[in-house]
Amino acid sequence: MIGTDLLGIEDLERADIERILDTAEHMREVGRRVVKKVPTLRGRTIVNLFFESSTRTRASFEIAGKRLSADVINFSPSSSSLKKSESILDTARTLDAMDPDAVVVRHSVAGVPKQIADVLAAPVINAGDGAHEHPTQALLDLLTVKLEKGRIDGLTVTIVGDILHSRVARSNIYAFGKMGAEVRIAAPPPMIPAAVETLGVKVFTSLREAIEGVDVVMALRIQSERLAGCYLPSVREYSSTFGIDREKLKYAKEDVIVMHPGPVNRGVELSHDLTDHRPSVILDQVRNGVAIRMAVLYLLSGRRQEDAQRIDLGSGEGR
Ligand code: NCD
């Protein structure tokens, strides 16, 4: 439930998701101003605690916090006492004693954000934990589809690729399912999690059948850092059977959009041409990511404000 932590889409109700998307639509407007700053979280402190590497998610949370006038601290494990073997929870407790208003956590092990949330007073936002969940990525994907298509309910979305190791896939399966879309997954058998049908998805091993008539195709990065012990086809075989190019897209709806959470392995998950041009919307996803993170930071770290329900977007000075 929104109001405490954001650990996964699995915990959210449809109404929570709608509230975040509506708030993010207001936040998008701030990003279009000349002066991209509103006083909403002035005096608040947000800690970015990234134990695993990240480019766009970390920068996105930092920009989001700064656009809301919060002070954002980036905690880098390599330069901290973790090198002196201080435990993750001790580090979290130490940071908590500095009274942050929100802590954003990324870790390569599933469940670490939850463990940290259990000891912290501040709200914790999961920025990706192992192959478990990446809720703000799914929320920005929902927002991108909503803005492109005008709705999510009734659409068909096919997620293609390394479903087994992908926290993005898991969060999106929950997210699009809760919002009333039909979710299909397509992957070589070793990349399909056991019993994934129980999450309400239709499973395909033929890409052509999976994308027949769909509104959205979402390609996933091959998670090479999580592949140990997993038998997979060669990269060339993968890209010829599951890589998305314009030829394969002909089976989808004429107005299909193509998504990818990034970073893209160009020529593997997506053809070079599709990586850079419509119908792919990869940079829109990045842009919408800032608005989603502003919304989530506002709804969580702003919750102690008496007027937390009111969205204060300032005067628009400098627009
Ligand atoms: C994703 C991640 O880290 O889970 N990237 C991201 O946050 N934009 C996807 C990926 O790494 O493949």
Side-chain angles (χ1 to χ4, degrees), residues 78-92:
S78 59
S79 61
S80 79
S81 296
L82 280 180
K83 282 251 157 146
K84 301 178 208 155
S85 74
E86 186 174 22
S87 81
I88 288 170
L89 293 183
D90 283 343
T91 304

Side-chain angles (χ1 to χ4, degrees), residues 52-53 56-57 106 127 134 137 167-168 221 223 225-226 260-263 293:
E52 194 190 54
S53 63
R56 66 204 80 212
T57 304
R106 169 171 285 198
H134 190 354
Q137 177 69 42
R167 53 198 177 201
V168 175
R221 184 177 65 86
Q223 304 275 303
E225 71 277 28
R226 295 184 231 280
H260 192 299
R293 285 157 187 140

